[in-house]
Amino acid sequence: MLISMPDALAYAEQHNYGLAAVNTPFFEGLLAAIDVGERTGVPIVLAFAQSHEKYVSIEEIGPAMVALAERSAAPFVVHVDHGEDLDYIRTGLDIGFNSAMIDGSLHPFEENVRLTREVVDLAHDRGVAIEGELGAMSGNENGDPSQGIADETLYTKPGEASEFVERTGVDSLAASFGTVHGLYRREPKLDYELITKLREAAGVPLVMHGGSGLKTEEYRACIDRGVRKINYYTYAAKAALDSVRDLVADEQTFVFSDVSARARIGVRDDVERFVRALAPSTSN
């Protein structure tokens, strides 16, 4: 069933839980995330990022995301992730997505405010919550050894976070405090004190991007300080590939369907571990 992002975030706040936001730009990953939601019973965010248009378009996989979420007995939010412009987010909402993120973090502060406010006005008129982003993170989704290191000069500043939320009206805020998108080149060092300051300054739930590759205790430390949604993609996609390597190498494998089914299991097992890591220890 579809639930709203505010309802999912309220659940997370009540249970001191981190919502798993799983990007699903391939069908096996989508089915796996649905499986995990039904196995755990906790709200899960099914996400699709604009950058994943190179794999499949939102018009192609988006209706399946919405339909599978609606027919399930488990609670799901269907979310446009890292939308870069108003038109793309409007496309997602027209398909049936009931949550969205506008990522203006690469723009100067005033342009980020203007763009984010424009999206908030559109979405709130439709009863849809919006996540904004302030600060920036490095990225490493292709294993490049020169990437995957957090840059402290790009971390979110608490004073700017307060002003940004007040002026844009966002319902949650993606912030930079030590994670990176994709694979880490070295051990991440999260600024926990900054998370506490950002949560107090922003006054809205915080979102962690670059959620792959952390330890359970690191997730929990962030959640205890006010992070309520954690995005996840790279390691789930990697789990899909790792799970089928032997099958692909086997000369007795003749059809892709066998590979696809195995990949679904690989993603399911990986995402379930992630989801359970975000729950309080008494719920694991």
Side-chain angles (χ1 to χ4, degrees):
M1 60 183 165
L2 275 180
I3 66 170
S4 71
M5 182 64 84
D7 284 347
L9 289 170
Y11 174 95
E13 187 68 29
Q14 179 183 356
H15 296 278
N16 193 29
Y17 176 69
L19 294 175
V22 184
N23 266 274
T24 59
F26 56 104
F27 196 62
E28 294 78 11
L30 172 58
L31 294 175
I34 295 288
D35 290 341
V36 173
E38 293 175 348
R39 288 160 71 108
T40 63
V42 299
I44 289 180
V45 180
L46 304 175
F48 185 85
Q50 187 168 350
S51 62
H52 289 149
E53 287 283 326
K54 59 189 175 185
Y55 304 129
V56 62
S57 76
I58 195 171
E59 288 93 344
E60 292 166 331
I61 200 166
M65 294 171 66
V66 174
L68 288 171
E70 287 178 334
R71 82 175 191 181
S72 175
F76 293 96
V77 180
V78 185
H79 176 77
V80 179
D81 187 31
H82 285 286
E84 299 167 13
D85 57 75
L86 181 70
D87 288 340
Y88 192 81
I89 288 176
R90 182 186 287 113
T91 296
L93 300 187
D94 288 346
I95 288 170
F97 283 57
N98 66 339
S99 176
M101 175 211 183
I102 176 65
D103 183 359
S105 63
L106 296 182
H107 295 294
F109 182 81
E110 288 297 331
E111 175 60 16
N112 191 358
V113 168
R114 184 203 66 76
L115 174 61
T116 302
R117 180 76 242 184
E118 185 179 35
V119 172
V120 167
D121 289 341
L122 167 72
H124 282 185
D125 283 347
R126 300 188 183 202
V128 171
I130 289 295
E131 171 188 334
E133 181 166 353
L134 188 65
M137 288 180 287
S138 304
N140 185 20
E141 293 191 358
N142 58 9
D144 185 341
S146 69
Q147 300 177 10
I149 301 172
D151 183 349
E152 293 184 16
T153 65
L154 302 178
Y155 286 5
T156 309
K157 298 176 177 60
E160 290 187 350
S162 177
E163 180 182 355
F164 183 80
V165 171
E166 181 179 0
R167 291 177 61 186
T168 61
V170 293
D171 303 280
S172 59
L173 180 67
S176 174
F177 44 78
T179 57
V180 301
H181 286 119
L183 301 173
Y184 286 95
R185 180 183 173 191
R186 64 178 63 157
E187 192 80 11
K189 294 183 179 180
L190 305 180
D191 190 336
Y192 297 119
E193 183 179 355
L194 177 58
I195 296 173
T196 300
K197 291 178 179 178
L198 288 170
R199 181 64 181 87
E200 292 173 353
V204 296
L206 296 181
V207 177
M208 175 198 290
H209 286 249
S212 292
L214 301 182
K215 300 173 184 176
T216 297
E217 56 267 30
E218 291 173 319
Y219 290 128
R220 288 304 318 163
C222 293
I223 292 166
D224 288 342
R225 289 163 173 79
V227 170
R228 289 290 172 257
K229 171 175 168 283
I230 300 178
N231 284 28
Y232 195 74
Y233 168 66
T234 304
Y235 281 60
K238 183 176 182 298
L241 180 59
D242 289 345
S243 69
V244 303
R245 290 184 189 276
D246 63 332
L247 198 60
V248 172
D250 187 346
E251 294 182 356
Q252 297 304 309
T253 301
F254 294 104
V255 294
F256 178 74
S257 301
D258 292 335
V259 177
S260 175
R262 175 81 69 82
R264 174 178 177 177
I265 294 171
V267 177
R268 183 199 69 196
D269 292 347
D270 182 78
V271 170
E272 184 168 350
R273 283 192 295 270
F274 171 65
V275 168
R276 295 193 184 280
L278 306 187
S281 58
T282 54
S283 301
N284 283 338

